[in-house]
Amino acid sequence: MDISQILANGIVLGALYACIAVGFSLVWGVLNVINMLHGSFIILGGYLTYFAWFYLGVHPVIALAPVALLLYLLGFLVQYVFINKVVTAPVLTTLTLTFGLDMILYNLMTVYFTATPRRVTLDIGSVDIAGVVMPGDRLIGMGLALLLTALLYLVMRGSSIGRAIVAVRMDRQAAALMGIRVNRIYAITFGIGALMAGAAGAVFAMVFPVTTNLTGSFLGKAFVICVIGGLGSVPGALVGGITLGIVESFAGYLLGPQHAITIGFLLMLILLVVRPTGLVGVKGYE
Amino acid sequence: MFTRSWKFAVAGAAVLGAASALTAPAAQAEDGVLKIGAPLALTGGLADEGKKQQAVWSLWLDKINAQGGVEVGGKKLKVEFVEYDYQTDGKRAGQLAEKLVTDDEVDVIMAPFGSGHTKIIAAVAERYQVPMLACVASSVSVYDQGFKYLFGTLAPNTGMTESMVGYFKEKFPAVKKVAVYGRDDVFPKSMATALADSAASGGLEVVYNELYAVGTMDHSAAISAIKAANPDWVYMTGYTQDLILGRKQMADLGITAPVITMVTGPAYREFTEGLGDLADGVTSSTWWHHATAYTDTSGAWNSTAAFYKDFVAAYGSDPDYVHASCAAAADVLVDAVQRAGSTDKQAVRDALAATDMATFYGPIDFGDNGMNQGREMPIIQVQGDEIKVLYPAAIADADLKLID
């Protein structure tokens, strides 16, 4: 068996994983909120994309921007109305709140959309590069995932909103003294987290079946990736995602697919012990 | 000090009094009613399956109660379902089953979807000696615990895999190598294990035999390994979302096996809808499909066609084996109560054990372990937009088509 195929599988999967985690990492790093809604936000993005394709014939790549924008508005509202009330409370309070909100969203989706798996059946075939087969939709997904992650990185580094977010993350009180409206920045950050989840959902509607059954899996992956890559930075999610993708791919091949997930968790546990900041995490966010 | 203790005592008595006032009325069993308890997964991961059970029992109940109920020992009994949502949480399923027995005093329990949760509830039913019908549990491990009150309408997995290996060897003699890839979960795992055993004993070479963990979101590593083993037949088990992803990745990574079997994918419409053209040619075994035409049957419906017609009229969609098996289980229960002449739990249990009934779902005849031993399971295949029955010959309407 060609090792390059296993590596390619892992990298493509890893880029998709990064797309899952980047919004989650941002919210956790800046707000210190473990957003249990993240998996459901991704699936909601997936459903909106699927319905746009099924009923209106809109290609998922085109639907991505409006779906992401809708999720941004939803995220902004959720933060502004609910989470801002308790954002300075211990992490368990916000975790419980987002867990409760997730149960509501998850069950609403199950009731109105049903848990029946749906998929955008745009099968565009595969590309064969020197014997390494790469599925077309996963390549597009990987491209979009990398592009979105890069865009977020640029926004965080180069825009005034991005700098304000970083400032709030570094020192909430000093940022407030500098005239930054902290609650608004929190809502924007949470909105961006939801936006990235929505965009990931749009990408995934082409690759994975869309069903509420997967919300927990997405959330679990986001969690593992953040710990592996490190919180508080966009590159952390990217490195964590690609590392997990490659590790799962090789573990699945060498040790059998039933051990792939376990090895991913094992890597997370080892890093928690030997390097709590993650592979490229910022000190202070471990 | 004395005053505080006294206050606590009064408050405690008030709470206890209120609690007993709330629970007392429910503890009285009603005469003239056959009470069926059903813990169902109406929310959570198995919500779709739980709702199927709820839907078909509602259809069945309307039909039965429209006739004024069921005739037992010379008088008419009304039939009533008591349903609770256990939220796809196994522990809660056990607690609710207990509540159904002790609080609601049901005469019989209908198990929810899946071998895992059925196992949990069967233990409760056995403890309280309440007859229980399992309509969506097929793993032998559920039935080989020596339980006396458990009966299942699905047939054992092993019979299904042996007939499948035999059928493919006959229709596709070039089949030599089989790859088996199953979800590490009660039913899918038992099917994968049974198929690997049946294939090996049937003289086929099992070139790949692995399980994948629950929650696996990518099959590329396994499918790359399967491709390298170059099988003639790929057999994958799992739930619909796994199978859609698995079939898609097989196509993406260039699997060219002429036979691809997915259990129980094609039995569900969402499988074919979620895959589009990629579903074409996928075979499966299933306990029932509406294409199987049983006639002159007893119970609420006198033929498969009659059940299909009523179901489509009520819900506007095709029924699957979950609907059929669960409706047939309700038929079997009524039949047993009628033969027992009462709702006495022991008498109903004995009558169930002696069941030999032809239903629209197929024959039902419980073996010593309580499983239905009366059926030959159909092999089906997606051919174009249709589901065709390949086996058994008596109800087959098409021949095996190899995947190009």
Side-chain angles (χ1 to χ4, degrees), chain B residues 233-269:
Chain B
W233 177 17
V234 180
Y235 183 92
M236 179 175 176
T237 68
Y239 294 130
T240 307
Q241 73 218 36
D242 306 314
L243 299 177
I244 289 177
L245 185 60
R247 178 67 188 102
K248 162 105 178 58
Q249 291 200 275
M250 284 182 203
D252 286 343
L253 294 169
I255 294 269
T256 53
V259 179
I260 295 176
T261 303
M262 298 197 139
V263 173
T264 57
Y268 295 103
R269 186 186 276 262

Side-chain angles (χ1 to χ4, degrees), chain B residues 146-377:
Chain B
F147 287 175
K148 295 277 173 262
Y149 288 80
L150 171 65
F151 300 91
T153 45
L154 298 184
N157 306 333
T158 40
M160 210 175 208
T161 54
E162 276 162 17
S163 53
M164 180 172 261
V165 169
Y167 176 80
F168 284 146
K169 276 173 66 182
E170 182 197 328
K171 296 286 176 184
F172 175 41
V175 65
K176 295 281 179 279
K177 295 191 281 186
V178 57
V180 182
Y181 184 49
R183 177 176 156 120
D184 195 358
D185 202 348
V186 182
F187 165 70
K189 182 181 173 179
S190 67
M191 286 302 290
T193 312
L195 192 278
D197 292 346
S198 302
S201 59
L204 299 182
E205 185 189 352
V206 182
V207 290
Y208 184 88
N209 185 12
E210 293 283 355
L211 298 169
Y212 59 92
V214 176
T216 296
M217 286 172 53
D218 181 74
H219 302 288
S220 48
I223 289 170
S224 299
I226 290 172
K227 187 184 174 189
N230 196 24
D232 309 306
W233 177 17
V234 180
Y235 183 92
M236 179 175 176
T237 68
Y239 294 130
T240 307
Q241 73 218 36
D242 306 314
L243 299 177
I244 289 177
L245 185 60
R247 178 67 188 102
K248 162 105 178 58
Q249 291 200 275
M250 284 182 203
D252 286 343
L253 294 169
I255 294 269
T256 53
V259 179
I260 295 176
T261 303
M262 298 197 139
V263 173
T264 57
Y268 295 103
R269 186 186 276 262
E270 52 262 35
F271 174 84
T272 43
E273 283 177 354
L275 275 170
D277 294 342
L278 288 177
D280 193 27
V282 175
T283 43
S284 185
S285 44
T286 181
W287 292 273
W288 182 84
H289 191 270
H290 61 82
T292 58
Y294 294 100
T295 50
D296 292 332
T297 57
S298 37
W301 291 278
N302 62 7
S303 69
T304 311
F307 169 72
Y308 180 71
K309 191 168 150 257
D310 277 3
F311 189 91
V312 173
Y315 297 111
S317 62
D318 287 348
D320 62 31
Y321 78 90
V322 176
H323 298 112
S325 176
C326 290
D331 278 340
V332 165
L333 168 68
V334 166
D335 174 64
V337 172
Q338 284 173 327
R339 279 185 289 114
S342 78
T343 54
D344 176 72
K345 294 183 177 68
Q346 184 61 44
V348 172
R349 183 257 155 227
D350 293 342
L352 277 170
T355 295
D356 185 3
M357 188 180 179
T359 69
F360 74 90
Y361 155 83
I364 295 175
D365 171 12
F366 299 117
D368 288 341
N369 66 354
M371 281 197 100
N372 184 12
Q373 59 185 11
R375 305 198 61 224
E376 260 193 317
M377 256 73 52

Side-chain angles (χ1 to χ4, degrees), chain B residues 118-129:
Chain B
T118 298
K119 218 170 183 172
I120 295 168
I121 293 171
V124 177
E126 193 68 19
R127 191 160 70 243
Y128 289 98
Q129 303 189 333

Side-chain angles (χ1 to χ4, degrees), chain A residues 2 14 29 50 63 95 104 145 147 151 165 178 182 203 211 218 235 254 274 276-277:
Chain A
D2 194 354
Y50 171 82
L95 185 133
I104 294 170
L147 185 70
L151 265 177
I165 290 173
M178 293 298 116
V182 174
V203 171
T211 161
F218 285 139
L254 297 173
V274 300
T277 54

